[in-house]
Amino acid sequence: NLPNIEVIPNAAMHVSDRYSDVENKRVIAVGRLDYQKGFDRLILAWQRVQSTGRFKDWTLDIFGQGEWQEMLQQMINKAGVQSTARINRPTKQIGEEYVKSDLLVMSSNYEGFPMVMIEAMACGLPVVSFDFKCGPKDIIRQGENGLVVHNGDVDGLADAMMEVMADDDYRKMLSENAKAVVNTYSEQAVQINPVLRQNTSTGRIMQEIGELVVQHGWTSYIAYSKGRDGIRECQSEIVPVGNKWSTLWHGVETRLFDRHGLASKGATRQFVKRMEEIQPDVVHIHNIHGYFLNYPILFDYLAGSGVPVIWTVHDCWLAVRPFAAELCRQAGGLYSAGKGPAYHRAGFGMDKGGDAAVVPEGVSFSGDSQRNQYGRVPGVRRRGSPSPVSAGREAHLFGSGQHLEP
């Protein structure tokens, strides 16, 4: 009943670019072969399914290893279902196995959080599950994307499996609805920076943060200036902004008419359209100088999107201090020069000192000064790009669920 508590769900791991067509006549189960996963109960349910004689062309594939493997194989042999039930070794390509299946069955006695369920549903698999603790009733909508059975009711589990197996149209409906799980358990992060070169500090920072984002189950995008060369392959999906000629013309307008950040209108509108397609859960602006973005167009989009924005100001760019202070003032937020107490009050704990600000709706600004002009958090290196600890702290803002300390 506390008003300031919010649940942040785990993100679904991206395991396949394809969906199951649920026409394979195959049931799948995944997990360690031990008491927790309850595959002994699944084998008993499968024996009942096969005893009806209606599903002889269906198979059950269990993927896993553990201390119960020999016992479970003996159960399969004793039940006489060895021609339709198999125990397979774990695979690193589990997404491909989901795609070749029609139904995930979870017979667990308990779970912490059923990531297998989320991964399978993201591939279009309906789920039949015992109502163990914790997760099934939070994820499965009864009769819409799967079926939940009272924990321990083996006959009920078999009946639910047969209900899905017997009706092609019903199974396809459950499959389509299951795919929507990514709307709740999937996260998109977009970073904006003019360069993506690995031999530059800002490019390396973007890549390292992107790697941490991907490791924690998010999808990472990095938007960069198409007019800058030297791109290296990275785990993030890249979003080029503009082209060589739009960047060149932006430079000309800057030199002749002092319009840095006010050109590249077409390129920025195209980027905004791409952002609307991505629908990010958080946006990290690291640098927007570099002759590739129109900041009024970008800011108008971000202000109206409701997407949380993290803004970090790299090295010498504290020249934006008056602008950041004024923007914060207009938004009714917090701004701080010196050691960034506003940032620390927000609990972000950045590695560097310098200016910092927090604006309502989750927008924040920070800067690091190479010359220690405005003060610095004690014990932090004077120069250079953030260490892995710093990158890890930024990953905290992307939803890693861990706040790293040096």
Side-chain angles (χ1 to χ4, degrees), residues 10-13 211-218 395 398-402:
N10 287 27
M13 296 294 289
E211 289 171 2
L212 286 165
V213 168
V214 171
Q215 287 173 17
H216 289 285
W218 290 50
F398 286 88
S400 71
Q402 297 182 5

Side-chain angles (χ1 to χ4, degrees), residues 9-319:
N10 287 27
M13 296 294 289
H14 184 73
V15 294
S16 178
D17 294 323
R18 298 186 296 136
Y19 297 109
S20 169
D21 60 9
V22 293
E23 295 181 351
N24 305 284
K25 295 189 176 182
R26 186 198 198 201
V27 177
I28 190 172
V30 180
R32 183 166 178 79
L33 308 181
D34 59 11
Y35 169 79
Q36 179 187 343
K37 301 303 179 181
F39 291 139
D40 54 328
R41 306 192 293 181
L42 173 57
I43 292 170
L44 292 175
W46 186 251
Q47 180 183 14
R48 186 172 185 277
V49 168
Q50 288 299 311
S51 69
T52 66
R54 298 165 53 203
F55 304 101
K56 295 296 184 181
D57 52 349
W58 281 73
T59 59
L60 167 65
D61 276 294
I62 301 172
F63 286 85
Q65 62 185 10
E67 57 268 27
W68 276 23
Q69 181 164 349
E70 184 178 347
M71 182 197 77
L72 294 174
Q73 187 60 57
Q74 289 176 358
M75 286 187 65
I76 290 173
N77 296 340
K78 186 176 180 179
V81 293
Q82 60 267 38
S83 62
T84 60
R86 294 184 294 266
I87 298 176
N88 306 276
R89 293 184 61 81
T91 174
K92 294 182 179 180
Q93 306 298 324
I94 192 62
E96 297 307 306
E97 301 300 334
Y98 290 143
V99 169
K100 294 186 290 186
S101 304
D102 297 63
L103 172 66
L104 174 77
V105 178
M106 295 203 66
S107 54
S108 302
N109 287 284
Y110 63 91
E111 291 281 352
F113 184 85
M115 288 303 299
V116 166
M117 183 182 296
I118 301 298
E119 293 170 2
M121 293 176 74
C123 293
L125 288 192
V127 180
V128 169
S129 174
F130 279 139
D131 182 23
F132 51 77
K133 297 181 180 180
C134 309
K137 282 190 175 179
D138 296 321
I139 301 168
I140 297 174
R141 300 192 308 274
Q142 188 74 350
E144 294 183 29
N145 57 11
L147 295 171
V148 179
V149 178
H150 180 70
N151 198 0
D153 183 358
V154 173
D155 287 343
L157 187 71
D159 290 340
M161 291 166 61
M162 290 188 286
E163 183 178 348
V164 177
M165 294 162 66
D167 191 329
D168 293 348
D169 292 337
Y170 181 55
R171 189 167 63 253
K172 289 180 179 180
M173 182 273 291
L174 295 175
S175 172
E176 286 300 314
N177 292 336
K179 297 172 188 175
V181 73
V182 298
N183 296 333
T184 301
Y185 296 96
S186 162
E187 310 293 347
Q188 318 284 339
V190 174
Q191 300 186 81
I192 302 173
N193 193 64
V195 295
L196 194 52
R197 292 190 296 244
Q198 200 168 12
N199 61 348
T200 63
S201 59
T202 57
R204 188 169 63 252
I205 290 168
M206 297 299 97
Q207 291 203 28
E208 290 178 355
I209 294 175
E211 289 171 2
L212 286 165
V213 168
V214 171
Q215 287 173 17
H216 289 285
W218 290 50
T219 301
S220 171
Y221 298 84
I222 299 178
Y224 72 100
S225 173
K226 178 67 171 174
R228 308 292 287 270
D229 58 3
I231 297 169
R232 300 287 184 88
E233 289 187 6
C234 61
Q235 294 184 30
S236 302
E237 298 187 32
I238 58 174
V239 181
V241 179
N243 54 48
K244 178 179 179 180
W245 299 110
S246 65
T247 301
L248 180 62
W249 183 248
H250 197 145
V252 170
E253 288 203 39
T254 298
R255 303 295 182 182
L256 296 182
F257 307 112
D258 194 23
R259 288 179 56 78
H260 193 180
L262 297 173
S264 298
K265 291 184 178 180
T268 306
R269 290 192 182 102
Q270 288 296 317
F271 173 53
V272 166
K273 185 180 296 185
R274 181 73 178 105
M275 293 268 278
E276 291 173 339
E277 295 172 355
I278 295 171
Q279 297 183 330
D281 296 279
V282 67
V283 172
H284 172 208
I285 299 177
H286 193 61
N287 276 330
I288 53 174
H289 66 280
Y291 310 146
F292 76 120
L293 279 172
N294 181 289
Y295 75 83
I297 294 175
L298 175 64
F299 288 1
D300 283 346
Y301 160 71
L302 293 174
S305 69
V307 178
V309 176
I310 309 301
W311 191 349
T312 53
V313 185
H314 190 76
D315 51 72
C316 61
W317 297 98
L318 285 174

